[in-house]
Amino acid sequence: MRKIKRFKIAPRQKEILRKLLRGGGLLRQAGFTSELEVTQYILNAFALLDPGVVYEFNQDAHWELDEDSTVHKEMFTACAVTLGDKIEPFLQAAKEHGEPKNIVAGSIILEFLKNAISFVTDLVREQAQKEEYETQEPQFVYLPPFGLYAPPKLLREAVRLEKTLAEKTLPLILEKINAEKIDLTLADGTLHPAYSAVFLVPWQKTRKKGKNNARY
């Protein structure tokens, strides 16, 4: 098991600002009067992040995640990532300010969650490459509800385990990877801190290029 507390992700405030600007009059409705003000709001939210991740490599389905082994039969890395609970007052304040501000704040936090997930999947990919493997797209066991927020493409189009299967395997995965080490808990099917994700990154043997792999 590997644990990383306070890992570093970039705020990508310019990228987030561009996405928010495409929301029509949303920023104006939320009370923002300039791009500089929005940028500072993004950075204020970023300063509240307390990210953490635990991830564990599983080979040849040694984990009994479900009775008929429909989750994975081969190699994968199970990951849990959280942004911490310090951002929750920030989101609550935005919610109290009205729906437009709530949408802006939540969309910003989802962008941060996407960046944290990408950071972890990059680590797993690098680990796989050292072993002459490659990784496939992550398969999500848990993502926070999006509500009215505008999730980034990675989260919006994410591959998810079937709902019943995800609910059954989520507590088992959290136990296997010692999620409590990053203060991640499960209650009534919901993860706390709220902005957290659990996902699997499948591995497969790197396909060597050669005549035998040529397509006709």
Side-chain angles (χ1 to χ4, degrees):
M1 186 273 299
R2 300 193 180 192
K3 177 187 74 171
I4 305 176
K5 291 279 286 183
R6 297 293 301 177
F7 62 87
K8 294 182 179 180
I9 58 174
R12 298 179 182 270
Q13 68 271 21
K14 293 181 179 179
E15 176 184 327
I16 297 175
L17 174 62
R18 286 196 297 270
K19 291 182 179 181
L20 291 173
L21 288 171
R22 292 199 292 267
L26 179 64
L27 292 174
R28 177 178 48 78
Q29 294 169 19
F32 294 101
T33 58
S34 69
E35 293 184 11
L36 181 61
E37 188 178 353
V38 179
T39 298
Q40 188 58 56
Y41 189 69
I42 295 169
L43 294 175
N44 289 345
F46 182 76
L48 298 173
L49 299 187
D50 186 22
V53 60
V54 282
Y55 59 104
E56 177 82 17
F57 175 65
N58 174 57
Q59 185 173 1
D60 300 327
H62 292 160
W63 295 358
E64 296 294 334
L65 294 181
D66 62 318
E67 294 176 358
D68 53 4
S69 298
T70 56
V71 178
H72 274 296
K73 295 183 178 180
E74 297 181 358
M75 305 169 68
F76 64 88
T77 296
C79 312
V81 62
T82 181
L83 298 182
D85 59 8
K86 294 180 180 179
I87 57 169
E88 293 180 13
F90 170 85
L91 289 166
Q92 182 60 36
K95 187 175 183 179
E96 293 171 358
H97 196 275
E99 185 175 292
K101 190 74 168 282
N102 181 31
I103 293 174
V104 171
S107 300
I108 290 170
I109 299 305
L110 287 178
E111 289 288 340
F112 292 152
L113 183 60
K114 177 208 72 174
N115 293 342
I117 291 169
S118 296
F119 171 86
V120 176
T121 55
D122 286 346
L123 286 179
V124 175
R125 184 178 67 251
E126 291 172 5
Q127 181 183 4
Q129 289 174 344
K130 292 178 182 178
E131 303 293 333
E132 296 187 348
Y133 281 81
E134 58 189 19
T135 56
Q136 298 174 296
E137 291 298 310
Q139 299 181 8
F140 286 85
V141 182
Y142 182 91
L143 279 171
F146 298 152
L148 297 174
Y149 306 153
K153 183 178 180 180
L154 174 67
L155 305 186
R156 186 176 65 250
E157 299 181 0
V159 175
R160 301 198 191 198
L161 293 188
E162 186 273 328
K163 185 175 184 294
T164 301
L165 182 59
E167 290 175 349
K168 182 171 65 173
T169 58
L170 178 59
L172 297 175
I173 293 173
L174 294 175
E175 179 183 358
K176 292 290 186 181
I177 61 180
N178 297 314
E180 71 277 3
K181 289 187 177 295
I182 55 170
D183 302 319
L184 194 59
T185 60
L186 179 66
D188 299 324
T190 301
L191 282 182
H192 302 275
Y195 283 84
S196 304
V198 177
F199 54 97
L200 308 174
V201 181
W203 291 34
Q204 65 180 14
K205 194 68 176 177
T206 301
R207 297 174 183 175
K208 295 182 180 180
K209 298 180 180 180
K211 293 182 179 180
N212 291 336
N213 293 329
R215 296 184 178 180
Y216 298 94

